[in-house]
Amino acid sequence: MKTRKLTMAQAIAEAIGQEIERDDNVFVLGEDVGKYGGIFGATGGLLAKHGKDRIMDTPISETAFIGTAIGAAAEGMRPIAELMFVDFFGVCMDMIYNHMAKNTYMAGGNIQLPMVLMSAIGGGYNDAAQHSQCLYATFAHMPGMKVVVPSNAYDAKGLMTQAIRDNNPVVFLFHKGIMGLPWMSYFEGSTNEVPEESYAIPFGQAKCVREGSDVTIVTLSQMVQKSILAAEKLAAEGIAAEIIDLRTIVPLDRESVLKSVRKTGRLLVVDEDYLSFGLSGEIAALVGEHLDTVQLKAPIRRLAVPDVPIPFSRPLEQFVIPQVDTIAAAARQIVGARQIEGALA
Amino acid sequence: MNASTERKLWMYEKMIEIREYEETMVRVYMEGKLPPHIQKGLAFDIGSGPVPGEMHLAAGQEPVAVGVCAHLTDNDTVVGAHRSHHFAIAKGVPLKPMTAEMFGKETGLGKGKGGHMHLFDAAHKFSCSGIVGASMPPACGAALAAKKRGKDWVAVAFFGEGATNQGAFHESLNLAALWQLPVLFVCEDNKYAISVEKTESTSVEWNADRASAYGMPGVLVKENDAVAVYEAAGEAIARARRGGGPTLLEVKTDRYLGHFQGDPEVYRTKGETTTLRANDPIPRIAEQLRAAGELTDAVEQQIRQRVSARVAEAYEYGRASPYPKPEDALLHVFN
């Protein structure tokens, strides 16, 4: 299998291009997906190769074009609609959660909506509260949408291929900070070896990206890259962190999380979404509901955005979004914590 | 496009079917919703009886549904609104599973998951939505699919005049005109967005005029008349089929019943619905057909018998069908 290094943006575009060639029903629509190749590069080079019938620039009208994707999907096509920033879902949420997510259910399974809604998530580059959210837990909270959040180019290609082939609505969220954009600093680890040929990664399979025995870090997206850097620091101090990259949160690979926490006895959830009522709470609850088979050596710890909108100013933004140092500090604290009085021996 | 006798008789029969279907629904819906079945002090219990939930009926609006759908085939797509029985029946959605859905039964179109506002029939390419203005974007998508596949299929989005003030209306018209999609936007103007009159909510007298803002033809049909709708829709649909793009068709129509069953209708003037019913389009088309020698007593009787049998059978089926197993609520989130 021939591989070469690709950025996550290139890998996503390659997956889309290969599916366009494979299936006449696949097409992309969205704002600036054509000549521009997507503001974050997810459709880079596709217009030149596949033409305007397959790569369709739309007016700035998310309700109309996401609804158009729904209607086309109901007819058996496989549209990929790009919502430029996930933060913009507010202008078209009706189409997403009342129609895209619910129609299959309300039809008793008699219709399929094989569509992908892809969008950019994440902050860290001072774009403030309307352009920096993650929000994956919002979509995951509402039934009817599969939610995919890759952390690197290899996964992004395989998961996008799977998303396009899935017969259900898939929300595919890529973090701007790991796309490999020439105008934004990023993490080298997200740009990795990607096979030229097409491949699909099944949903609901988390990946253990680093093995360790002292603490489990459950995370996803850009936080995987930050957690890897934190784990390297911890390793130098003699703490072995295990990192679980969830990759998809609907479906969620609960067993991989439990398996790792059973091994390490300690859990840190690192999440760039908001703290309350979100992914970190879900993972904590999962472990809490399995305390009959999981023996914790320390309280569960969650690191996430502390329930404030993402601020603009650099020190403020860096304070609210988990960083390599804060991840390392949280892990260090858990490993150093005294076992809870009276806890399971 | 002149209607043939055969098409006119089809429209007449479908209008009778829609009316009889909904008049039966008025009775069935009220079962168990009034005292002594319900708690003292309540006037009405919306969740009780064999057909629970909201119920929006279309008596008086039949000409819009039949006049447009008379031009459609199974390949064409219809997306309706929350008041959609007339569109569904005119599009050919079978009455039995449609009725079973309203009863919340296993045999329903959506196995009891959707109910009256959310009817999905993939085989007849019919769907609808409980959200005002939501019919238009998916209709654009069906039209886009047809265009991409090189088919002469069209999509129709039905909506009320209240929906024209939604962003979805303006976004969809722009997109459809820009991409020259084979879609017909059909606005049923029954004057009321629930209780608010069009004059209180819409800046122009006729929505058809708004089409010019998007560079598409806007057609206004002021008579609540199936043949007039048929002719206007026929031109628009033919244009769409030959690649001529979308049309906005507005039809002035009348809603005889409340916005929903149980609506106290405090916004209506006294006797308004009686006055409206004096201009009922069903007897009117019958008179026209009789005057032209296209409808005889014998044919009329056959139509009535056929319709009554179909409607009665559908209600019996809906009532007699089993409920889904409670745990079936967990199925069909994904396909």
Side-chain angles (χ1 to χ4, degrees), chain B:
Chain B
M1 188 178 286
N2 290 327
S4 65
T5 299
E6 178 261 327
R7 282 286 87 183
K8 279 191 265 189
L9 286 173
W10 180 88
M11 291 194 286
Y12 180 54
E13 179 163 342
K14 280 291 157 188
M15 283 202 286
I16 291 173
E17 184 173 323
I18 293 163
R19 184 68 61 85
E20 185 163 334
Y21 185 84
E22 294 207 320
E23 281 175 350
T24 307
M25 180 57 79
V26 169
R27 293 192 297 274
V28 174
Y29 181 73
M30 290 310 291
E31 285 177 30
K33 288 194 172 57
L34 294 174
H37 304 288
I38 62 166
Q39 199 186 328
K40 235 180 168 178
L42 284 176
F44 185 77
D45 183 356
I46 193 168
S48 293
V51 178
E54 280 186 82
M55 182 54 61
H56 311 79
L57 300 174
Q61 299 185 188
E62 298 90 346
V64 190
V66 301
V68 172
C69 292
H71 297 282
L72 304 180
T73 72
D74 281 353
N75 290 323
D76 300 316
T77 297
V78 165
V79 188
H82 58 285
R83 185 189 314 288
S84 272
H85 303 167
H86 53 326
F87 307 135
I89 292 171
K91 183 62 176 51
V93 174
L95 289 189
K96 283 162 72 175
M98 176 170 147
T99 311
E101 185 61 27
M102 296 182 207
F103 279 84
K105 298 298 180 71
E106 166 67 25
T107 52
L109 285 172
K111 301 187 174 73
K113 298 255 175 59
H116 124 92
M117 274 191 283
H118 318 102
L119 303 168
F120 295 86
D121 182 351
H124 296 88
K125 296 173 82 166
F126 178 85
S127 65
C128 56
S129 169
I131 306 294
V132 170
S135 64
M136 293 168 259
C140 289
L144 177 64
K147 190 172 177 175
K148 281 184 172 296
R149 289 170 166 165
K151 306 288 190 184
D152 68 347
W153 304 344
V154 299
V156 178
F158 287 106
F159 49 93
E161 90 287 345
T164 64
N165 298 315
Q166 281 279 6
F169 170 82
H170 300 278
E171 291 188 21
S172 299
L173 263 65
N174 177 62
L175 191 80
L178 182 74
W179 289 353
Q180 286 291 286
L181 299 177
V183 55
L184 182 62
F185 298 101
V186 183
C187 175
E188 289 184 297
D189 177 8
N190 66 18
K191 201 170 91 172
Y192 295 106
I194 304 186
S195 71
V196 179
E197 283 194 52
K198 189 183 181 186
T199 52
E200 301 280 322
S201 64
T202 302
S203 61
V204 291
E205 186 178 8
W206 301 114
N207 281 300
D209 294 342
R210 290 173 154 180
S212 65
Y214 301 100
M216 76 171 72
V219 181
L220 175 63
V221 176
K222 279 194 185 178
E223 318 95 281
N224 190 27
D225 179 86
V227 175
V229 175
Y230 179 89
E231 288 170 1
E235 275 187 38
I237 290 169
R239 181 165 52 239
R241 288 201 200 283
R242 61 173 185 262
T247 300
L248 172 60
L249 171 65
E250 181 173 30
V251 182
K252 196 171 174 305
T253 188
D254 297 313
R255 190 187 82 208
Y256 298 159
L257 299 166
H259 170 72
F260 55 92
Q261 291 304 287
D263 176 2
E265 296 183 70
V266 292
Y267 50 88
R268 298 248 209 204
T269 56
K270 206 177 171 209
E272 184 178 311
T273 51
T274 311
T275 310
L276 294 177
R277 279 182 188 264
N279 195 28
D280 193 326
I282 298 179
R284 208 173 61 233
I285 190 174
E287 280 167 33
Q288 289 164 6
L289 285 164
R290 283 175 189 283
E294 294 170 312
L295 179 66
T296 62
D297 286 348
V299 171
E300 168 89 29
Q301 207 185 353
Q302 286 165 10
I303 290 174
R304 297 271 172 190
Q305 279 173 354
R306 276 201 300 269
V307 165
S308 292
R310 280 203 295 268
V311 170
E313 194 188 10
Y315 278 95
E316 280 163 26
Y317 180 80
R319 202 183 281 274
S321 287
Y323 280 109
K325 296 194 296 289
E327 57 272 28
D328 286 353
L330 304 179
L331 304 177
H332 308 304
V333 174
F334 294 112
N335 201 314

Side-chain angles (χ1 to χ4, degrees), chain A residues 7-284:
Chain A
T7 66
M8 209 164 95
Q10 289 167 333
I12 292 168
E14 186 167 276
I16 294 170
Q18 286 175 343
E19 290 307 294
I20 282 175
E21 281 175 3
R22 201 180 75 96
D23 185 344
D24 289 343
N25 290 306
V26 177
F27 67 101
V28 181
L29 73 174
E31 295 154 3
D32 304 289
V33 297
K35 279 183 203 158
Y36 209 104
I39 294 298
F40 305 106
T43 54
L46 293 179
L47 176 67
K49 204 167 172 193
H50 303 287
K52 284 175 82 167
D53 283 348
R54 310 298 290 277
I55 310 296
M56 305 179 75
D57 273 326
T58 62
I60 298 176
S61 50
E62 289 83 356
T63 296
F65 77 75
I66 291 173
T68 292
I70 293 168
E75 297 283 325
M77 302 207 75
R78 294 184 173 271
I80 302 159
E82 178 169 297
L83 172 67
M84 191 185 289
F85 287 75
V86 77
D87 314 73
F88 303 169
F89 87 95
V91 300
C92 54
M93 195 52 173
D94 176 60
M95 279 296 139
I96 298 172
Y97 90 120
N98 268 325
H99 295 87
M100 184 185 91
K102 294 177 185 168
N103 282 4
T104 296
Y105 185 78
M106 293 196 294
N110 290 324
I111 64 159
Q112 294 184 336
L113 291 181
M115 60 179 288
V116 180
L117 177 66
M118 68 173 175
S119 190
I121 62 170
Y125 63 108
N126 312 95
D127 222 6
Q130 295 174 344
H131 291 76
S132 303
Q133 297 170 99
C134 282
L135 299 178
Y136 33 73
T138 304
F139 297 97
H141 182 66
M142 295 179 288
M145 296 172 267
K146 296 188 179 179
V147 181
V148 178
V149 199
S151 69
N152 63 81
Y154 177 88
D155 286 358
K157 180 175 173 182
L159 291 167
M160 177 53 89
T161 301
Q162 182 76 11
I164 296 167
R165 294 178 188 177
D166 198 291
N167 286 330
N168 295 281
V170 177
V171 179
F172 186 101
L173 300 169
F174 47 79
H175 196 296
K176 293 157 242 167
I178 48 175
M179 287 292 268
L181 303 171
W183 45 277
M184 193 178 288
S185 66
Y186 73 108
F187 291 84
E188 290 293 342
S190 59
T191 295
N192 56 10
E193 290 290 329
V194 177
E196 281 181 2
E197 67 191 48
S198 181
Y199 60 96
I201 296 174
F203 292 163
Q205 294 187 2
K207 190 176 174 187
C208 180
V209 297
R210 184 186 177 102
E211 291 195 16
S213 53
D214 294 327
V215 57
T216 295
I217 299 176
V218 173
T219 189
L220 74 176
S221 189
Q222 191 193 45
M223 287 298 149
V224 172
Q225 303 303 335
K226 286 187 176 177
S227 296
I228 289 169
L229 296 178
E232 284 165 8
K233 288 190 174 206
L234 292 166
E237 302 163 21
I239 297 172
E242 178 150 302
I243 300 173
I244 304 294
D245 178 356
L246 292 171
R247 302 205 290 191
T248 70
I249 57 173
V250 179
L252 179 66
D253 183 358
R254 294 179 166 84
E255 200 42 53
S256 288
V257 173
L258 292 171
K259 187 181 158 203
S260 178
V261 180
R262 282 187 190 116
K263 180 172 110 180
T264 64
R266 298 181 181 92
L267 172 65
L268 169 64
V269 189
V270 179
D271 181 11
E272 195 181 322
D273 209 343
Y274 302 116
L275 176 70
S276 299
F277 314 103
L279 176 73
S280 63
E282 185 65 32
I283 299 298

